[in-house]
Amino acid sequence: MELIAYGLEAWFNRRFRLVHIISCLYVFVLICLYLYVFIIMFIFIFITGGNTGIGRATATELAKRGGRIFIGCRDKKKGDAVVIRIRQKSKNPEVFCQRLDLASLSSIKDFAEDFNRQEPTLHILINNAGKLRGIFFQCAPFI
């Protein structure tokens, strides 16, 4: 009888440990998911060329997940129209646009100064814009 009792006790202890480990893993996964959702709300993401194509799809998905999205594009009017559509799709008011022409160093400098005034940090940079129109292309002069 003692052997059966000991066997049941050992079985129960093993079973309890397994259930305990599984429940701890479950709680750990829930906490990680909560932190992922909570933390992305405070992440500032900048996407170059976010007004068309892959950049636009990326901006829309990240906005749906709650991040603060900043889109840099050459045409401010097109960018503002895309921002309005992304805000409607994602229900996220934290989507912004600013003019940025990567072919012009003066535009990059102006953008960087404005950005540093508005935002303290940049967490994620997605370099999506860029087009090579042949081997040689003309840039704006250095200023």
Side-chain angles (χ1 to χ4, degrees):
M1 190 59 121
E2 256 182 62
L3 186 59
I4 293 172
Y6 176 75
L8 287 174
E9 183 180 346
W11 177 84
F12 179 76
N13 285 339
R14 276 196 309 257
R15 181 74 129 180
F16 180 72
R17 275 186 262 155
L18 182 63
V19 169
H20 182 68
I21 290 170
I22 290 172
S23 64
C24 287
L25 286 173
Y26 178 73
V27 169
F28 177 73
V29 168
L30 286 178
I31 289 172
C32 288
L33 287 174
Y34 174 77
L35 287 176
Y36 171 74
V37 170
F38 183 70
I39 289 173
I40 199 165
M41 291 171 51
F42 298 104
I43 289 181
F44 189 83
I45 303 166
F46 179 73
I47 303 173
T48 61
N51 60 333
T52 58
I54 294 172
R56 181 176 172 179
T58 303
T60 304
E61 274 305 309
L62 291 172
K64 285 179 183 176
R65 296 170 191 248
R68 294 188 66 207
I69 311 298
F70 206 91
I71 297 173
C73 53
R74 283 182 290 178
D75 190 357
K76 180 83 166 120
K77 290 180 184 177
K78 288 182 184 177
D80 288 337
V82 168
V83 164
I84 291 169
R85 280 188 239 128
I86 291 174
R87 285 178 182 169
Q88 289 171 348
K89 270 187 173 179
S90 66
K91 310 281 191 276
N92 183 354
E94 296 291 320
V95 181
F96 308 101
C97 177
Q98 188 170 354
R99 185 184 183 288
L100 172 63
D101 186 6
L102 294 176
S104 169
L105 291 177
S106 61
S107 173
I108 295 170
K109 183 180 176 186
D110 294 340
F111 171 79
E113 289 171 355
D114 290 342
F115 179 81
N116 285 333
R117 266 189 255 117
Q118 293 175 3
E119 295 295 329
T121 58
L122 174 64
H123 299 104
I124 298 173
L125 170 64
I126 300 175
N127 282 321
N128 179 57
K131 186 188 303 184
L132 187 59
R133 296 185 186 116
I135 297 173
F136 300 103
F137 60 95
Q138 185 175 359
C139 292
F142 294 97
I143 294 178

